[in-house]
Amino acid sequence: MLFKVENLRVHYGNVEAVRNVSMEVEENTIVCLIGANGAGKTTVLRTLSGLEKLTSGRIWLKDERIDALPSQEIVRRGIIHVPEGRRVFPFMSVFDNLRLGSYQLKDRDQINKNLELVYHHFPRLKERMQQKAGLLSGGEQQMLAMGRALMASPKLLLLDEPSMGLSPILVEEIAEIITNIRHHGVTIVLVEQNAFLALDISNKGYVLETGRVALEGDSQRLLQDEHVKKAYLGG
């Protein structure tokens, strides 16, 4: 087991945003979180990466409990978060955005190897490496955000709504890239509003409703679940 969450609870003031969420992530798999807006999906990811403080519960990376660590220490342990909305540095070049992702790495050979892997997954970034990130299309900015995360040599990649705002063709391309990243040995936790995409490319799924896990299981089984079909797959 690479990653485990036990009875996670998170509050915003007096409001309980996440209630007793537990999940397990096996190494070299894709695990997805689906649910309506406000179900707590993004809050879960932000808590896993140390950006939100949990009220109670435990988070494990292999044999180490990490829920008390600050976000920078979580990053050093290989958990890398690609937040919703891309958040690239618009006035910096594509190359400099990517280079920032490797700031904690000291091995120049590893940095160069990571860069070549990014260009393998995202050849358009290599074509635009000297272009300012703010001039990229929405899809290219999403690729840049994911590429920057890969520069950090992640063990676990947290992806929040990577298909948001993209055309159907680009959504298919991003889905294929996510699958390819997993084939290169990176474990992924994926939050997606596009439930069909998330379940189609993942191994295991969790359905969040009002801050709690309502359903969980094999993704292909969840695709056939009548509640999931009616609530998230358009019937």
Side-chain angles (χ1 to χ4, degrees), residues 90-108:
F91 299 110
M92 296 174 63
S93 70
V94 167
F95 177 76
D96 286 340
N97 268 268
L98 291 174
R99 190 170 59 177
L100 279 176
S102 62
Y103 78 95
Q104 64 174 341
L105 301 182
K106 306 301 182 186
D107 186 338
R108 186 165 297 278

Side-chain angles (χ1 to χ4, degrees), residues 56-76:
S56 63
R58 295 181 292 184
I59 303 172
W60 299 85
L61 179 64
K62 292 192 174 179
D63 296 325
E64 182 184 11
R65 187 172 170 183
I66 64 169
D67 47 82
L69 296 178
S71 56
Q72 65 269 23
E73 291 299 326
I74 292 173
V75 168
R76 288 193 179 98

Side-chain angles (χ1 to χ4, degrees), residues 1-6 23-28 58-67 69 74 77-79 154-156 185 187:
M1 188 68 59
L2 176 66
F3 193 71
K4 186 175 183 179
V5 179
E6 297 176 331
M23 56 186 290
E24 296 183 347
V25 181
E26 297 281 356
E27 196 161 6
N28 199 29
R58 295 181 292 184
I59 303 172
W60 299 85
L61 179 64
K62 292 192 174 179
D63 296 325
E64 182 184 11
R65 187 172 170 183
I66 64 169
D67 47 82
L69 296 178
I74 292 173
R77 283 156 175 77
I79 300 176
K155 296 176 183 174
L156 179 65
T187 305

Side-chain angles (χ1 to χ4, degrees), residues 11-83:
H11 284 76
Y12 293 127
N14 293 325
V15 177
E16 190 173 37
V18 173
R19 296 186 287 159
N20 296 321
V21 167
S22 296
M23 56 186 290
E24 296 183 347
V25 181
E26 297 281 356
E27 196 161 6
N28 199 29
T29 63
I30 300 175
V31 171
C32 72
L33 302 178
I34 64 171
N37 287 333
K41 306 183 301 296
T42 291
T43 298
V44 169
L45 284 201
R46 287 178 58 85
T47 307
L48 300 185
S49 61
L51 297 175
E52 299 291 346
K53 295 303 178 186
L54 71 169
T55 305
S56 63
R58 295 181 292 184
I59 303 172
W60 299 85
L61 179 64
K62 292 192 174 179
D63 296 325
E64 182 184 11
R65 187 172 170 183
I66 64 169
D67 47 82
L69 296 178
S71 56
Q72 65 269 23
E73 291 299 326
I74 292 173
V75 168
R76 288 193 179 98
R77 283 156 175 77
I79 300 176
I80 310 298
H81 187 173
V82 181

Side-chain angles (χ1 to χ4, degrees), residues 202-222:
S202 63
N203 304 97
K204 186 175 184 180
Y206 291 84
V207 180
L208 265 60
E209 295 180 353
T210 59
R212 64 181 182 85
V213 175
L215 289 169
E216 65 176 275
D218 177 82
S219 294
Q220 294 305 307
R221 182 179 65 79
L222 289 176

